[in-house]
Amino acid sequence: MRIKVISSLLAIFMIFATVASAHPGRTDSSGGHTCRTNCAKWGLKQGEYHYHNGGSSSSSKSSSSSSSSSGSTKKSNKSSTATQKKATPKPEYIMSSVQVKVNGSKVIFTESPIVMNNTNLVPLREMAGALKAKTSWDSKTQTITITKDKYKLIFTLGSKKVKVNGKEVTLQAAPKEIKGTTYIPLRVLVEGLGASLTSSGNTLTVKVKE
């Protein structure tokens, strides 16, 4: 009888010893506690808070939270990058459907006039012909000279400076060559040759003094 009692007591003692060894220290109301004994044995760090009821340790929660935060930041950065749009550069000039008439006759351009810096530019050859003006080109100085009677204009490709009857004038848009066609600001050309320019809707009317 005594042997059975002693065996029972030993069994109970061993059970409690195993529990104490596996879970040193008391647990709180949440079912966990801070590890102070044999922490490395259970894969824990000294002072790490952990649970005995199947819950995860505080470090796991921190790691999970950090990972979630990192994922959210990456998603946010990707979203921000996707919403950023590259600014589309403004075109240097646009094609124009403007019509030009000289003393009631429409000028036929082989190339469409253009608008640059809010200025109408027209192909020089057809416009000078309509105004009965003469043109000459100096390739060394990149200058264009246009004359008619007592009037004389000197343009320089790519420059906003033009000489109108000996006086220097600053243009809003410089003369430009596009695919072999030279474009000249219409108003300064017309008025520099002694004519007048009026507009009505999409039609520019030039009146040349005879």
Side-chain angles (χ1 to χ4, degrees), residues 40-55:
K41 179 179 179 181
W42 311 113
L44 304 172
K45 295 180 180 180
Q46 179 72 19
E48 181 177 350
Y49 183 88
H50 62 286
Y51 293 92
H52 285 218
N53 57 359

Side-chain angles (χ1 to χ4, degrees), residues 54-170:
S56 59
S57 66
S58 59
S59 62
S60 297
K61 287 187 176 182
S62 175
S63 175
S64 175
S65 176
S66 175
S67 176
S68 176
S69 175
S70 176
S72 298
T73 303
K74 288 181 179 178
K75 287 182 180 180
S76 176
N77 290 339
K78 287 183 179 179
S79 177
S80 176
T81 302
T83 55
Q84 290 179 353
K85 295 181 178 179
K86 292 183 178 180
T88 303
K90 186 177 180 180
E92 184 181 3
Y93 63 88
I94 59 174
M95 307 309 290
S96 173
S97 57
V98 69
Q99 296 181 12
V100 181
K101 290 182 178 181
V102 176
N103 291 340
S105 299
K106 182 180 178 180
V107 181
I108 306 301
F109 295 111
T110 55
E111 300 293 338
S112 174
I114 64 174
V115 176
M116 185 165 63
N117 291 342
N118 297 319
T119 302
N120 284 296
L121 283 79
V122 295
L124 172 61
R125 184 177 61 182
E126 289 87 357
M127 196 65 222
L131 294 172
K132 297 179 181 180
K134 295 180 181 180
T135 64
S136 62
W137 163 250
D138 189 330
S139 58
K140 291 183 179 180
T141 59
Q142 295 286 291
T143 55
I144 305 160
T145 302
I146 304 170
T147 58
K148 180 183 178 181
D149 301 330
K150 62 180 180 178
Y151 302 105
K152 182 178 181 180
L153 294 86
I154 302 176
F155 293 91
T156 302
L157 278 181
S159 174
K160 291 184 178 182
K161 301 294 183 180
V162 58
K163 283 189 177 181
V164 180
N165 302 316
K167 182 179 179 180
E168 188 173 81
V169 177
T170 301

